Amino acid sequence: MTSTPDDVSAGRAAGATGYLEDPAPGYGALPPRCTFTSTAARLPLDGDWRFHLAPTVGAAPAGFQLPDYDDAGWDLLPVPSSWPMHGHGRPAYTNVVYPFPVDPPYVPTDNPTGSFRRVFDVPDTWQDTDAVLRFDGVDSCARVWLNGRELGVIKGSRLPSEFSVREALKVGENVLAVEVHQWSAGSYLEDQDMWWLPGIFRSVAVVRRPPASITDFFVHADFDHLSCQGTLRIEVQADCPVRLVIDELGITDRPADEVFVIDDVEPWTAETPRLYDGELVTDDERVPIRIGFRTVAIVDGQLTVNGRPILIRGVNRHEHHPDFGRAVPTEAMREDLLLMKRHNVNAIRTSHYPPHPAMLDLCDELGFWVIDECDLETHGFHLLDWKRNPSDDPVWAPAYLDRMHRTVERDKNHPSIVLWSLGNESHTGANLAAMANWTRDRDSSRPIHYEGDAACEYVDVYSRMYASPSEVELIGKREEEQHPNVDAATDAKRRSMPFILCEYGHAMGNGPGGLSEYQELFERYPRCQGGFIWEWLDHGIRQHTADGREFFAYGGDFGEPIHDGNFVIDGLVFPNRTPSPGLLEFKKVIEPVVMNGADGSLVIENHYDFVTTAHLIFRWTLESEGEPVADGLLAVPPVGAGQRHEVALPKLPRTDAESWLTVQAVLVADEPWAAAGHEVAWTQVQVRRRDPEPTPTGRRPQLRSDHIVFGPGVFDAARGELRRLGGLEVSGPRLDLWRAPTDNDRGGEHPEEGWWRGNGLHRLQHRTIDVKLGRTELVVHTRVAPPALGFGAYVTYRWQANETGLALTVQVEPRGQWPDSVPRIGLRMRVPSTVDSVEFFGLGPGESYPDSDRAVRVGRYQSTVDAWQTPYVFPQENGNRSGVRWAQLTDADGLGLRIGGQPTVNVAARRWTTEDLDAARHTTDLVASDHVHVNIDAALHGLGTAACGPGVLPAYQLRPVDTTFAVTFSALPVEIEEG
Ligand code: GAL
């Protein structure tokens, strides 16, 4: 659907800016083709351009496209860039809603318009040759002139456009002028959940086309898994003979259009990204190509590659950088992919547009299954009940097809791409069906994905987002509900299709919880072929407070009148691309080697789809109370994909404390994405249980005027609360139920925060009923309840003591009409701010919650209160350490306390209160107080993914029921009494 040169005049006739509100695609560009490099000369035009930003199209400088226009007073702006990231205008974020009236194809008169000029020299050697001017991405619409001559108009932000410059380009000085509009008719098709960031955000170049040059090519490289033969067929478009060279395959200089059948070829898979380097050669240029032999097919209701079903361990990846917006440096792309590989991710959905072309080269090279998605989303029409949605309006058909053509043509030669996706959340309609039909004709080798085709009328895989585990289970059994609007045949067709979750596990803030439940279903039901976490990266924008402290901004921080707040902060990695606990959890949940030990042996299951475990060695370490005792290697023969193998555990020395054997599967040699020794999978086996700790007891509490002395503790006699432990001033511990709500607590159909806050759990009051001194115990009865409401809990604190320690048993008896769940059941206490070092024996090193605790392992960990905080961009509950046998909090001199679980507790420690954390909106709102605030919890409510998706699963919901738990406190350092 790319227009012919004749359309250029049609476009002009439409008026100076008529193209802006024309639903049609741009005009003037050459037919789309694949992205390739060549030995032919190329003039990169990236770098500083002259730039002027006007608030409306009308206010843009007239005549700026003329070569002699004086732009000396203009600013300089780097290309590629998103101009709001460079101080021109401001970023704006909305999810579903359009930030302008929904009146397609019209756009606001207030339409920021950037005028760009770039002067460049063409060397003499280019005399009389053809050339094209290439734009890899311009958001959202641009009109282009070279030396004052109009070349055409670009729409489709994340898609390339090329113009012939045969007539306009000259040897010597040339002036390129581009007018970029933030809003255009195309904006209606680009309502993806992300920042609105106009600009020339991908590269621009002039590429020489010598007389004997290649226009386009389509590599078909199939692999027959039965014969291990590769079949290579390249369709080349060129006005000259083209030869093919692939030395490794013995193809030295053959006509490129031959069909080559090659024996014993090594196939390409995401696990074995084997590429054969070659070249297409003409008299005037050499074009490097990389061939990956692989065949994608749907066989018996399963998505297969090279004859085997694959299991997707995927993420959705947007293109965002905290400093550069949509202009992501190649190094950051690479960093993304390396991090993914190191976290066992094997698949990427390019949500919701084709990524930078270099990203796909890296996917081919490093090995990922890719769903390449077209640049299309019209989600905002949802709020109009999909009335006037472009997807079913013939006026928009050319634009839809144009976008799909340009996606497929650009990316067709990437072996990593296994599915084409028509776009995202654009409802359904004839234009989408037409995209699917065209794609099927053009490339029958890849199935078609589009989640919005809920009835599966024109797609090849059944795709859903955020379905609950119970629904996924029904789908796995092919017993899902029938779609209301389809006949039995269409329903049967859908039921026979493979299933993927194109989005699940919404990684907003603290979470996602409940990932392992999905993974179990993916592994149990052949129809369920995995899914893609929403999403890879928090789209925060780096900012600084007036006093220079860094934070990441989200929707509303730039004064947008309409925005969706921090819903754009929902990734597995923070905006600066450091892993969040959610990524560590995902890595463990999807590990491709699963080990389980019991009764002296270890069962190793290979969950890869293709490779054996030969690239791994299996190391073991024995730790007693977290201290290493012995280590070694397990002799494990290579285990085939899908196979299991049992090995005997090593003979271990005796230990005298709780002991765990950790087995790690680590890389035996360097891989392109990680060094030898990198851990891929692990398990722990308990080899010696914990002996119960003796309860401090025997001392008698002494009443002294207004306080009670009891062992190392001094209590407030009226309240019965601990005020001093050994040399340390403390306050508390006392019952506490509140947590700073997570995004998931706030979210969706399970707004737990509302119930909790509405029931006053954030402002409980404590009434001391009585304080009783017994022979060897101190018993404090209280009632804890919110103001204004009738329900409450009777809480009994029962203390015992010896010389150095205190034992506390807490009994909680909720009575009356409580909400269904509570955030925590535990204690809070306060110690001086100098007590900021932590050592613990428990599950670590990172945070964990009941439905997100797969990534933590039993060990002994040293840290600090500061390092215990997880810097969620929108502050919320974080930092809980679970399974804590004991934790020591000390100051620089070793003064502090030891908390002992009976048998285990959860511990969190912060420099601010839960209330401060609850009130904060950015990390910089959190200011250290004079204390360290410690939570010691018997239980916590899970995390879930209710920000978008199911809430906390029943097994992880914390009910306000009668609860008894015990904990010990010892003063540190331990003073040994003389005599
Ligand atoms: C999905 C959508 C994504 C994102 C996500 C929520 O519905 O496809 O683009 O908005 O929800 O973060």
Side-chain angles (χ1 to χ4, degrees):
M1 268 306 120
T2 299
S3 36
T4 64
D6 285 351
D7 297 332
V8 175
S9 47
R12 283 206 199 100
T17 55
Y19 60 88
L20 251 187
E21 294 174 327
D22 184 348
Y27 58 79
L30 292 163
R33 58 182 184 145
C34 67
T35 303
F36 60 87
T37 60
S38 151
T39 50
R42 181 173 182 277
L43 283 178
L45 298 182
D46 293 351
D48 281 345
W49 290 41
R50 286 284 175 191
F51 175 70
H52 174 278
L53 183 63
T56 63
V57 181
F64 89 102
Q65 72 275 22
L66 300 175
D68 55 0
Y69 182 90
D70 181 5
D71 62 14
W74 289 15
D75 288 329
L76 289 175
L77 181 75
V79 166
S81 70
S82 297
W83 72 60
M85 304 300 289
H86 295 266
H88 303 279
R90 315 199 86 191
Y93 164 60
T94 60
N95 169 15
V96 177
V97 293
Y98 290 102
F100 48 77
V102 185
D103 183 22
Y106 303 105
V107 296
T109 305
D110 292 321
N111 187 357
T113 293
S115 303
F116 289 79
R117 283 171 56 90
R118 166 78 195 233
V119 179
F120 63 96
D121 279 327
V122 169
D124 294 347
T125 47
W126 284 44
Q127 193 81 44
D128 297 330
T129 54
D130 195 3
V132 298
L133 170 65
R134 180 179 176 90
F135 291 84
D136 279 318
V138 183
D139 191 336
S140 82
C141 172
R143 192 172 181 190
V144 183
W145 296 263
L146 182 60
N147 298 324
R149 187 187 178 114
E150 185 186 358
L151 299 179
V153 159
I154 297 172
K155 287 183 205 170
S157 299
R158 269 68 61 173
L159 292 161
S161 300
E162 285 182 316
F163 299 96
S164 168
V165 290
R166 182 198 299 268
E167 307 295 333
L169 193 74
K170 56 185 192 324
V171 165
E173 188 176 281
N174 288 262
V175 180
L176 177 59
V178 186
E179 190 170 74
V180 182
H181 311 288
Q182 169 153 15
W183 308 121
S184 65
S187 304
Y188 283 98
L189 310 186
E190 296 177 5
D191 189 29
Q192 292 96 340
D193 176 5
M194 59 189 188
W195 294 95
W196 297 95
L197 287 175
I200 304 176
F201 70 98
R202 287 185 189 156
S203 291
V204 184
V206 182
V207 185
R208 194 176 175 194
R209 297 287 69 219
S213 64
I214 294 167
T215 305
D216 191 15
F217 54 93
F218 193 170
V219 174
H220 305 272
D222 298 331
F223 178 74
D224 182 331
H225 64 280
L226 297 175
S227 64
C228 292
Q229 278 179 334
T231 305
L232 177 63
R233 183 171 61 86
I234 307 182
E235 290 172 67
V236 188
Q237 209 185 315
D239 288 335
C240 59
V242 181
R243 318 281 299 171
L244 176 66
V245 179
I246 308 178
D247 290 336
E248 259 194 296
L249 295 176
I251 302 172
T252 45
D253 183 19
R254 302 275 290 278
D257 55 5
E258 268 182 35
V259 175
F260 302 91
V261 178
I262 303 134
D263 287 334
D264 293 326
V265 86
E266 289 175 53
W268 187 98
T269 73
E271 293 169 10
T272 53
R274 176 67 161 102
L275 294 169
Y276 291 91
D277 286 321
E279 276 185 330
L280 291 170
V281 183
T282 72
D283 288 349
D284 292 330
E285 75 172 342
R286 305 177 80 87
V287 171
I289 54 172
R290 294 196 305 181
I291 313 286
F293 290 91
R294 55 118 192 83
T295 294
V296 183
I298 293 179
V299 181
D300 296 335
Q302 281 190 290
L303 178 67
T304 65
V305 179
N306 303 338
R308 295 198 201 182
I310 59 168
L311 188 63
I312 290 169
R313 302 171 167 91
V315 294
N316 280 279
R317 178 183 175 277
H318 261 290
E319 302 210 305
H320 176 81
H321 189 278
D323 302 315
F324 307 116
R326 210 99 71 220
V328 180
T330 317
E331 213 20 70
M333 285 175 218
R334 196 178 171 82
E335 192 50 38
D336 275 350
L337 300 184
L338 295 179
L339 261 184
M340 289 179 197
K341 288 294 277 192
R342 291 176 194 147
H343 290 86
N344 295 333
V345 170
N346 73 356
I348 298 169
R349 172 171 175 239
T350 69
S351 53
H352 302 299
Y353 41 80
H356 190 289
M359 227 285 290
L360 295 170
D361 291 337
L362 289 168
C363 289
D364 292 344
E365 198 177 293
L366 293 167
F368 288 95
W369 310 119
V370 174
I371 300 189
D372 193 11
E373 192 149 277
C374 187
D375 190 0
L376 177 68
E377 175 161 340
T378 65
H379 204 174
F381 286 89
H382 172 59
L383 298 159
L384 282 69
D385 285 334
W386 296 107
K387 284 191 197 75
R388 303 177 74 193
N389 180 23
S391 298
D392 207 29
D393 180 344
V395 164
W396 292 90
Y400 275 58
L401 285 163
D402 171 73
R403 283 164 187 258
M404 198 65 202
H405 293 180
R406 285 155 74 196
T407 302
V408 172
E409 297 300 352
R410 192 195 76 163
D411 294 342
K412 57 188 180 272
N413 294 326
H414 289 283
S416 55
I417 298 174
V418 290
L419 294 171
W420 296 117
S421 177
L422 306 178
N424 187 55
E425 294 187 317
S426 304
H427 201 45
T428 189
N431 298 338
L432 287 153
M435 289 164 90
N437 290 339
W438 177 86
T439 305
R440 220 167 255 127
D441 278 357
R442 177 67 177 133
D443 178 18
S444 58
S445 76
R446 293 172 174 106
I448 292 170
H449 166 273
Y450 173 57
E451 182 269 348
D453 179 17
C456 294
E457 289 170 303
Y458 46 86
V459 294
D460 301 310
V461 296
Y462 180 32
S463 172
R464 290 284 304 281
M465 43 175 82
Y466 309 110
S468 66
S470 50
E471 196 182 355
V472 170
E473 174 142 40
L474 285 178
I475 296 170
K477 294 175 173 163
R478 302 188 195 267
E479 287 173 6
E480 73 270 18
E481 275 185 28
Q482 180 162 348
H483 189 276
N485 304 331
V486 300
D487 56 26
T490 313
D491 181 67
K493 187 179 110 190
R494 184 185 77 181
R495 228 171 269 283
S496 70
M497 288 178 177
F499 174 71
I500 59 169
L501 275 169
C502 68
E503 295 177 26
Y504 80 112
H506 196 252
M508 185 176 183
N510 191 345
L515 290 181
S516 46
E517 279 71 13
Y518 283 106
Q519 195 64 23
E520 280 159 23
L521 295 169
F522 300 159
E523 283 171 8
R524 186 168 341 136
Y525 294 103
R527 187 188 189 192
C528 297
Q529 295 198 257
F532 299 83
I533 296 288
W534 187 268
E535 66 174 306
W536 174 245
L537 173 74
D538 284 346
H539 306 208
I541 293 183
R542 198 191 316 267
Q543 299 286 286
H544 292 91
T545 56
D547 59 352
R549 288 173 303 134
E550 178 186 288
F551 68 98
F552 292 104
Y554 47 78
D557 285 342
F558 297 99
E560 307 103 290
I562 175 168
H563 64 82
D564 286 295
N566 66 321
F567 206 63
V568 77
I569 307 292
D570 53 2
L572 291 173
V573 298
F574 293 109
N576 58 9
R577 294 185 151 76
T578 54
S580 80
L583 180 59
L584 306 184
E585 180 74 2
F586 188 48
K587 174 183 180 177
K588 175 67 180 156
V589 166
I590 59 173
E591 59 186 9
V593 173
V594 175
M595 296 178 279
N596 284 301
D599 302 330
S601 72
L602 183 77
V603 176
I604 300 170
E605 294 176 14
N606 178 345
H607 287 208
Y608 285 105
D609 294 322
F610 298 92
V611 295
T612 71
T613 56
H615 63 296
L616 301 170
I617 47 171
F618 295 80
R619 283 202 306 234
W620 62 266
T621 317
L622 174 68
E623 287 175 345
S624 171
E625 190 90 2
E627 296 291 351
V629 174
D631 57 39
L633 288 180
L634 288 180
V636 181
V639 185
Q643 306 294 304
R644 68 209 302 268
H645 181 80
E646 191 167 339
V647 287
L649 287 175
K651 192 142 179 50
L652 299 174
R654 276 187 68 81
T655 53
D656 52 12
E658 179 178 350
S659 304
W660 289 79
L661 178 75
T662 304
V663 182
Q664 297 168 283
V666 305
L667 291 179
V668 66
D670 290 351
E671 295 281 345
W673 44 270
H678 165 83
E679 183 187 86
V680 171
W682 61 273
T683 191
Q684 283 193 308
V685 187
Q686 188 164 29
V687 295
R688 192 182 192 287
R689 292 199 171 280
R690 186 162 193 76
D691 298 327
E693 287 196 11
T695 307
T697 186
R699 285 278 164 133
R700 183 182 193 127
Q702 313 279 340
L703 180 63
R704 309 252 168 85
S705 67
D706 63 347
H707 60 272
I708 299 161
V709 177
F710 194 22
V714 178
F715 291 77
D716 174 318
R719 289 179 175 273
E721 280 182 13
L722 187 65
R723 290 288 178 258
R724 178 168 279 279
L725 179 68
L728 200 68
E729 270 190 44
V730 303
S731 174
R734 67 182 198 181
L735 184 82
D736 200 42
L737 306 179
W738 187 238
R739 74 178 178 199
T742 65
D743 291 309
N744 289 314
D745 292 338
R746 253 189 290 281
E749 289 156 25
H750 300 270
E752 254 136 348
E753 181 201 8
W755 305 333
W756 295 342
R757 220 184 272 280
N759 279 294
L761 301 187
H762 61 306
R763 52 182 182 202
L764 296 175
Q765 295 182 6
H766 299 249
R767 174 168 65 87
T768 306
I769 299 170
D770 55 35
V771 178
K772 288 188 176 154
L773 283 72
R775 176 185 279 280
T776 59
E777 63 177 16
L778 172 69
V779 181
V780 182
H781 289 107
T782 67
R783 184 173 184 276
V784 179
L789 298 169
F791 69 90
Y794 291 98
V795 184
T796 306
Y797 304 86
R798 196 171 294 276
W799 293 92
Q800 290 172 275
N802 64 13
E803 327 56 81
T804 56
L806 294 164
L808 170 65
T809 303
V810 184
Q811 195 180 349
V812 186
E813 298 165 283
R815 296 292 177 265
Q817 197 60 46
W818 280 73
D820 284 349
S821 65
V822 292
R824 309 167 24 231
I825 297 180
L827 303 167
R828 76 192 280 177
M829 67 187 293
R830 217 169 68 178
V831 295
S833 62
T834 46
V835 178
D836 59 1
S837 294
V838 208
E839 183 176 0
F840 76 106
F841 179 44
L843 290 169
E847 69 179 35
S848 51
Y849 289 82
D851 55 354
S852 176
D853 64 355
R854 300 281 306 275
V856 286
R857 52 189 110 180
V858 180
R860 188 161 169 166
Y861 304 100
Q862 271 185 339
S863 188
T864 61
V865 168
D866 293 323
W868 261 21
Q869 314 309 309
T870 306
Y872 292 112
V873 169
F874 187 99
Q876 52 196 278
E877 162 67 30
N878 72 85
N880 181 66
R881 265 60 184 181
S882 63
V884 175
R885 282 70 168 159
W886 54 258
Q888 299 190 157
L889 282 90
T890 48
D891 70 7
D893 300 322
L895 181 72
L897 82 165
R898 179 186 191 275
I899 300 164
Q902 300 285 342
T904 64
V905 281
N906 294 273
V907 178
R910 320 189 162 101
R911 291 197 178 276
W912 32 81
T913 61
T914 302
E915 291 71 25
D916 295 335
L917 189 58
D918 184 5
R921 293 294 170 264
H922 293 93
T923 47
T924 41
D925 295 341
L926 293 168
V927 181
S929 71
D930 292 340
H931 294 95
V932 164
H933 304 267
V934 185
N935 288 351
I936 304 162
D937 293 328
L940 295 110
H941 190 64
L943 299 174
T945 60
C948 190
V952 175
L953 297 175
Y956 309 112
Q957 292 172 5
L958 183 59
R959 306 274 177 218
V961 293
D962 286 6
T963 306
T964 301
F965 61 98
V967 58
T968 59
F969 297 93
S970 322
L972 294 176
V974 179
E975 308 283 355
I976 306 295
E977 282 184 11
E978 296 286 318

Short mmCIF file of all heavy atoms in Angstrom, two decimals, residues 115-134:
data_model
loop_
_atom_site.label_atom_id
_atom_site.label_comp_id
_atom_site.label_asym_id
_atom_site.label_seq_id
_atom_site.Cartn_x
_atom_site.Cartn_y
_atom_site.Cartn_z
N SER A 115 10.35 21.67 13.20
CA SER A 115 10.98 21.86 11.89
C SER A 115 12.45 21.48 12.06
O SER A 115 13.12 21.98 12.97
CB SER A 115 10.85 23.31 11.43
OG SER A 115 9.48 23.66 11.39
N PHE A 116 12.91 20.61 11.21
CA PHE A 116 14.28 20.09 11.30
C PHE A 116 15.03 20.45 10.01
O PHE A 116 14.48 20.30 8.91
CB PHE A 116 14.28 18.56 11.39
CG PHE A 116 13.78 17.98 12.68
CD1 PHE A 116 12.42 17.89 12.95
CD2 PHE A 116 14.68 17.45 13.61
CE1 PHE A 116 11.96 17.30 14.12
CE2 PHE A 116 14.23 16.86 14.78
CZ PHE A 116 12.86 16.79 15.04
N ARG A 117 16.26 20.85 10.14
CA ARG A 117 17.10 21.07 8.95
C ARG A 117 18.47 20.45 9.17
O ARG A 117 19.04 20.54 10.25
CB ARG A 117 17.27 22.56 8.67
CG ARG A 117 16.04 23.19 8.02
CD ARG A 117 16.19 24.69 7.99
NE ARG A 117 17.41 25.14 7.33
CZ ARG A 117 17.53 25.41 6.02
NH1 ARG A 117 16.48 25.30 5.24
NH2 ARG A 117 18.69 25.80 5.51
N ARG A 118 18.95 19.84 8.10
CA ARG A 118 20.28 19.23 8.20
C ARG A 118 21.01 19.46 6.87
O ARG A 118 20.48 19.11 5.81
CB ARG A 118 20.11 17.73 8.46
CG ARG A 118 21.34 16.90 8.27
CD ARG A 118 22.30 17.03 9.45
NE ARG A 118 23.60 16.52 9.07
CZ ARG A 118 24.27 15.60 9.75
NH1 ARG A 118 23.80 15.11 10.86
NH2 ARG A 118 25.44 15.19 9.32
N VAL A 119 22.19 20.05 6.95
CA VAL A 119 23.01 20.29 5.76
C VAL A 119 24.06 19.19 5.70
O VAL A 119 24.67 18.87 6.72
CB VAL A 119 23.69 21.68 5.85
CG1 VAL A 119 24.58 21.92 4.63
CG2 VAL A 119 22.65 22.78 6.00
N PHE A 120 24.22 18.60 4.53
CA PHE A 120 25.24 17.54 4.42
C PHE A 120 25.88 17.57 3.04
O PHE A 120 25.29 18.06 2.08
CB PHE A 120 24.65 16.17 4.74
CG PHE A 120 23.57 15.72 3.80
CD1 PHE A 120 23.86 14.90 2.71
CD2 PHE A 120 22.24 16.11 3.99
CE1 PHE A 120 22.87 14.48 1.84
CE2 PHE A 120 21.25 15.70 3.11
CZ PHE A 120 21.56 14.88 2.05
N ASP A 121 27.09 17.04 2.99
CA ASP A 121 27.84 17.03 1.74
C ASP A 121 27.82 15.67 1.09
O ASP A 121 27.97 14.66 1.77
CB ASP A 121 29.31 17.40 2.01
CG ASP A 121 29.46 18.90 2.11
OD1 ASP A 121 28.71 19.62 1.40
OD2 ASP A 121 30.29 19.35 2.92
N VAL A 122 27.67 15.66 -0.22
CA VAL A 122 27.75 14.41 -0.98
C VAL A 122 29.05 14.45 -1.79
O VAL A 122 29.31 15.43 -2.49
CB VAL A 122 26.52 14.28 -1.90
CG1 VAL A 122 26.70 13.14 -2.89
CG2 VAL A 122 25.26 14.08 -1.07
N PRO A 123 29.88 13.41 -1.64
CA PRO A 123 31.18 13.45 -2.33
C PRO A 123 31.03 13.29 -3.85
O PRO A 123 30.04 12.76 -4.34
CB PRO A 123 31.92 12.25 -1.73
CG PRO A 123 30.87 11.37 -1.15
CD PRO A 123 29.69 12.21 -0.83
N ASP A 124 32.09 13.74 -4.57
CA ASP A 124 32.09 13.65 -6.04
C ASP A 124 31.86 12.24 -6.54
O ASP A 124 31.29 12.03 -7.60
CB ASP A 124 33.49 14.05 -6.58
CG ASP A 124 33.77 15.51 -6.29
OD1 ASP A 124 32.80 16.21 -5.91
OD2 ASP A 124 34.94 15.91 -6.42
N THR A 125 32.35 11.28 -5.78
CA THR A 125 32.26 9.88 -6.22
C THR A 125 30.81 9.43 -6.38
O THR A 125 30.57 8.37 -6.94
CB THR A 125 32.95 8.97 -5.19
OG1 THR A 125 32.48 9.36 -3.89
CG2 THR A 125 34.45 9.09 -5.26
N TRP A 126 29.87 10.21 -5.88
CA TRP A 126 28.45 9.82 -6.00
C TRP A 126 27.81 10.35 -7.29
O TRP A 126 26.62 10.12 -7.52
CB TRP A 126 27.64 10.36 -4.81
CG TRP A 126 27.83 9.60 -3.54
CD1 TRP A 126 29.00 9.16 -3.03
CD2 TRP A 126 26.81 9.20 -2.62
NE1 TRP A 126 28.79 8.51 -1.83
CE2 TRP A 126 27.43 8.53 -1.55
CE3 TRP A 126 25.43 9.35 -2.57
CZ2 TRP A 126 26.74 8.00 -0.46
CZ3 TRP A 126 24.73 8.85 -1.48
CH2 TRP A 126 25.38 8.17 -0.44
N GLN A 127 28.60 11.03 -8.08
CA GLN A 127 28.10 11.60 -9.33
C GLN A 127 27.27 10.57 -10.10
O GLN A 127 27.69 9.44 -10.24
CB GLN A 127 29.33 12.02 -10.18
CG GLN A 127 29.01 12.91 -11.35
CD GLN A 127 28.86 14.37 -10.90
OE1 GLN A 127 29.66 14.85 -10.12
NE2 GLN A 127 27.84 15.04 -11.38
N ASP A 128 26.13 10.96 -10.54
CA ASP A 128 25.30 10.13 -11.44
C ASP A 128 24.84 8.81 -10.84
O ASP A 128 24.56 7.88 -11.57
CB ASP A 128 26.05 9.80 -12.74
CG ASP A 128 26.36 11.06 -13.51
OD1 ASP A 128 25.56 12.01 -13.38
OD2 ASP A 128 27.39 11.08 -14.19
N THR A 129 24.82 8.68 -9.56
CA THR A 129 24.28 7.41 -9.04
C THR A 129 22.96 7.65 -8.33
O THR A 129 22.67 8.76 -7.88
CB THR A 129 25.22 6.71 -8.05
OG1 THR A 129 25.56 7.61 -7.03
CG2 THR A 129 26.44 6.14 -8.72
N ASP A 130 22.26 6.58 -8.24
CA ASP A 130 20.97 6.62 -7.56
C ASP A 130 21.21 6.52 -6.05
O ASP A 130 22.24 6.00 -5.60
CB ASP A 130 20.15 5.43 -8.05
CG ASP A 130 18.69 5.60 -7.70
OD1 ASP A 130 18.32 6.65 -7.15
OD2 ASP A 130 17.92 4.66 -7.97
N ALA A 131 20.25 7.01 -5.28
CA ALA A 131 20.36 6.90 -3.81
C ALA A 131 18.97 6.97 -3.21
O ALA A 131 18.02 7.44 -3.86
CB ALA A 131 21.23 8.01 -3.26
N VAL A 132 18.85 6.46 -2.00
CA VAL A 132 17.58 6.60 -1.28
C VAL A 132 17.85 7.27 0.06
O VAL A 132 18.93 7.14 0.64
CB VAL A 132 16.87 5.24 -1.05
CG1 VAL A 132 16.52 4.58 -2.36
CG2 VAL A 132 17.67 4.32 -0.16
N LEU A 133 16.84 7.97 0.51
CA LEU A 133 16.90 8.60 1.83
C LEU A 133 16.02 7.76 2.74
O LEU A 133 14.86 7.51 2.42
CB LEU A 133 16.35 10.03 1.72
CG LEU A 133 16.10 10.77 3.04
CD1 LEU A 133 17.42 11.01 3.78
CD2 LEU A 133 15.41 12.12 2.75
N ARG A 134 16.61 7.31 3.84
CA ARG A 134 15.89 6.36 4.68
C ARG A 134 15.65 6.94 6.08
O ARG A 134 16.56 7.46 6.72
CB ARG A 134 16.72 5.08 4.80
CG ARG A 134 16.08 4.03 5.67
CD ARG A 134 16.94 2.77 5.73
NE ARG A 134 16.33 1.83 6.65
CZ ARG A 134 15.44 0.91 6.31
NH1 ARG A 134 15.06 0.79 5.06
NH2 ARG A 134 14.94 0.10 7.20
#
